[in-house]
Amino acid sequence: MVKRIKVSNNVIRRLPRYLRKLDELKAGGVSRVSSKNLGALLGLTPSQIRQDFSCFGEFGQQGYGYNVGALRDEIASILGMDRGFKAILIGVGNIGHALMDNFCFSDWGFTLSAAFDIDPAIIGTTTNGVTVRSMDELLDFLHEHEIDVAVLTVPADAAVAVAKLLRDNGIGAIWNFTNVELTEPNSSTIVENIHFSDSLLSLGYYVAERYDEEAAHAARLARREQ
Amino acid sequence: MVKRIKVSNNVIRRLPRYLRKLDELKAGGVSRVSSKNLGALLGLTPSQIRQDFSCFGEFGQQGYGYNVGALRDEIASILGMDRGFKAILIGVGNIGHALMDNFCFSDWGFTLSAAFDIDPAIIGTTTNGVTVRSMDELLDFLHEHEIDVAVLTVPADAAVAVAKLLRDNGIGAIWNFTNVELTEPNSSTIVENIHFSDSLLSLGYYVAERYDEEAAHAARLARREQ
């Protein structure tokens, strides 16, 4: 078992990025990497990298850098990728179907055990070996299987009611695609949100910032020419 | 024009969350909110909130809190939501189609001007008023229209080549759904990534942490009973 100390959310959010970069290095045949080089690849300082990894114990060897494969496996373990988490998906609309079709849950240590919908036209269809069941079967399924995570891809107006149903029936973690805030005070359910709009708005900020800088630059040039 | 100072990414990432919460408050008829109450709703300290907003000028009035509507509009403007950004979408697979069908670009200040694909079965179809064009038309379209952002929803193996094509033809910002790293050294293109796997792995971390805590708790109880 990984030793657990309370680690800041910022560190936790960087772990998947480390994992992706280490996977890339490993695929490229790189076996050792220094905190300096890893930092350069990720836009982080070497000391930040050493500090992040020190949260979880001793990985590197002074002057030798990190063993890429060992560090990768350690981070994968910290992220729970070796635990065989089981997930279900609720709501097989566009996004739900896209996840079933294109997202490789098993690459990240998850098994997608079942999917549920209310639409008779969708119930019974199979994508990547997972057959869509009727929502009427959900409670029986939850009582018969140990499920770690529910992927919530229902329409926004159903989100709160379905989240409550899941919580009341023992689901402890929700991967929330509905763009509806599900975090409730005093609830112990873990909610991880995919907020498309937050991401697009951040992008808009950077675009607006660049246009303003360009406009300011052009204005300076124009003044100089007067 | 908003005064531009360099603001940390953490602050920028919080702006969309502020916007969502202020929209909720406004919809609920709340007209003023203190930094204390806003902080409680978002899990932030009042001083963090005051500090974030101070990056962009003076919004609140000591002792009176913030005017919800005015603050909301100011943040929307900082995020560029009033600039009429134009976007195109490349790759109308599951995710691309889901965005065209369900994601309301105009709610966030964007117009989806066109969509492109290589599949003859998809070219010519229309979703929410946007007709899918052939990739053969892309370059002409880019030369005839001023496009701010490209939404990249092509398959992973096409991501790098299409991103290069977009950059070479004047696209300055990419909203990247391909799970392929597109950030290049010395490139000025703004890339905003939606990494589903990073989000799921973070969720896995919190689930694993909880299971470890529960196991440790159970072990303590068992020792006590011996």
Side-chain angles (χ1 to χ4, degrees):
Chain A
M1 200 191 303
V2 181
K3 220 195 311 176
R4 291 282 167 199
I5 56 163
K6 272 289 168 194
V7 173
S8 84
N9 285 331
N10 285 340
V11 176
I12 295 164
R13 295 286 156 185
R14 280 195 287 274
L15 292 176
R17 291 183 58 208
Y18 289 131
L19 185 89
R20 269 191 285 125
K21 189 51 74 179
L22 291 165
D23 274 338
E24 273 178 45
L25 291 171
K26 203 175 155 191
V30 178
S31 62
R32 298 201 78 84
V33 67
S34 65
S35 50
K36 189 179 161 197
N37 289 344
L38 189 57
L41 290 168
L42 289 163
L44 300 168
T45 66
S47 73
Q48 191 168 25
I49 290 202
R50 287 193 295 268
Q51 209 179 323
D52 282 2
F53 294 163
S54 74
C55 294
F56 303 100
E58 292 298 319
F59 291 126
Q61 205 182 335
Q62 192 74 38
Y64 286 85
Y66 300 103
N67 177 311
V68 170
L71 181 58
R72 185 263 173 222
D73 291 346
E74 196 66 42
I75 291 176
S77 168
I78 291 165
L79 289 167
M81 288 171 65
D82 51 4
R83 304 216 179 188
F85 289 136
K86 289 194 166 46
I88 56 169
L89 183 145
I90 320 274
V92 190
N94 280 309
I95 291 280
H97 188 253
L99 289 171
M100 291 176 73
D101 201 16
N102 303 125
F103 186 78
C104 195
F105 285 87
S106 61
D107 277 358
W108 315 108
F110 285 74
T111 302
L112 186 60
S113 299
F116 297 87
D117 203 285
I118 55 166
D119 182 353
I122 293 171
I123 295 165
T125 62
T126 299
T127 301
N128 277 332
V130 177
T131 302
V132 180
R133 298 163 191 242
S134 163
M135 277 296 275
D136 297 339
E137 298 174 41
L138 177 63
L139 295 193
D140 283 346
F141 186 91
L142 288 178
H143 294 148
E144 283 160 23
H145 299 81
E146 294 208 0
I147 299 299
D148 304 288
V149 170
V151 184
L152 196 62
T153 45
V154 296
D157 55 11
V160 170
V162 175
K164 183 174 187 315
L165 185 74
L166 291 166
R167 280 174 175 146
D168 291 349
N169 288 278
I171 289 289
I174 295 176
W175 196 20
N176 177 26
F177 284 76
T178 66
N179 217 30
V180 174
E181 290 276 356
L182 297 177
T183 317
E184 282 183 358
N186 308 319
S187 161
S188 66
T189 310
I190 299 165
V191 178
E192 167 71 20
N193 298 299
I194 294 263
H195 276 304
F196 289 167
S197 58
D198 286 17
S199 174
L200 183 63
L201 288 175
S202 300
L203 182 61
Y205 177 92
Y206 293 113
V207 174
E209 181 183 51
R210 162 148 331 152
Y211 289 174
D212 285 351
E213 284 167 0
E214 287 171 354
H217 181 66
R220 277 196 303 275
L221 285 183
R223 274 198 304 276
R224 210 176 291 170
E225 280 171 17
Q226 275 176 353
Chain B
M1 201 189 303
V2 180
K3 220 195 312 176
R4 289 284 168 198
I5 56 162
K6 272 289 167 193
V7 174
S8 84
N9 284 333
N10 285 341
V11 177
I12 295 163
R13 296 285 157 188
R14 280 195 287 272
L15 293 177
R17 290 183 59 209
Y18 290 132
L19 185 88
R20 267 190 286 123
K21 191 50 74 179
L22 291 166
D23 273 338
E24 273 178 45
L25 290 172
K26 204 175 152 189
V30 178
S31 61
R32 298 201 77 84
V33 67
S34 66
S35 51
K36 189 179 162 199
N37 288 345
L38 189 56
L41 290 168
L42 289 162
L44 300 168
T45 65
S47 73
Q48 191 168 24
I49 291 204
R50 287 193 294 267
Q51 208 179 326
D52 282 2
F53 294 163
S54 74
C55 295
F56 303 100
E58 291 298 319
F59 291 127
Q61 207 182 334
Q62 192 74 41
Y64 287 85
Y66 299 102
N67 176 310
V68 169
L71 181 59
R72 186 262 172 223
D73 290 346
E74 196 65 42
I75 290 176
S77 168
I78 292 165
L79 289 167
M81 288 172 65
D82 50 4
R83 305 219 178 185
F85 288 136
K86 288 194 167 44
I88 57 169
L89 184 145
I90 320 273
V92 190
N94 281 310
I95 292 281
H97 188 253
L99 289 171
M100 292 176 73
D101 201 18
N102 304 125
F103 185 77
C104 195
F105 286 86
S106 61
D107 277 359
W108 315 108
F110 286 74
T111 301
L112 186 61
S113 298
F116 298 87
D117 203 285
I118 55 167
D119 182 352
I122 294 171
I123 294 165
T125 61
T126 299
T127 300
N128 276 333
V130 177
T131 302
V132 180
R133 298 163 191 244
S134 163
M135 276 296 275
D136 296 339
E137 299 173 41
L138 177 63
L139 295 194
D140 283 346
F141 186 91
L142 289 179
H143 295 148
E144 284 161 22
H145 299 80
E146 294 208 359
I147 299 299
D148 304 288
V149 170
V151 185
L152 197 61
T153 45
V154 297
D157 55 10
V160 170
V162 175
K164 184 175 185 319
L165 185 73
L166 291 167
R167 281 174 175 145
D168 291 348
N169 289 278
I171 289 288
I174 295 176
W175 196 21
N176 177 25
F177 285 77
T178 66
N179 217 31
V180 175
E181 290 275 357
L182 298 177
T183 318
E184 282 184 357
N186 307 319
S187 162
S188 65
T189 310
I190 300 165
V191 178
E192 167 73 20
N193 298 299
I194 293 264
H195 276 304
F196 289 166
S197 59
D198 286 17
S199 173
L200 183 62
L201 288 175
S202 298
L203 181 61
Y205 178 91
Y206 294 112
V207 174
E209 181 183 51
R210 164 154 322 157
Y211 289 174
D212 285 352
E213 284 168 0
E214 287 171 354
H217 181 66
R220 276 196 303 277
L221 284 183
R223 273 199 303 276
R224 209 175 294 169
E225 280 172 15
Q226 275 175 354

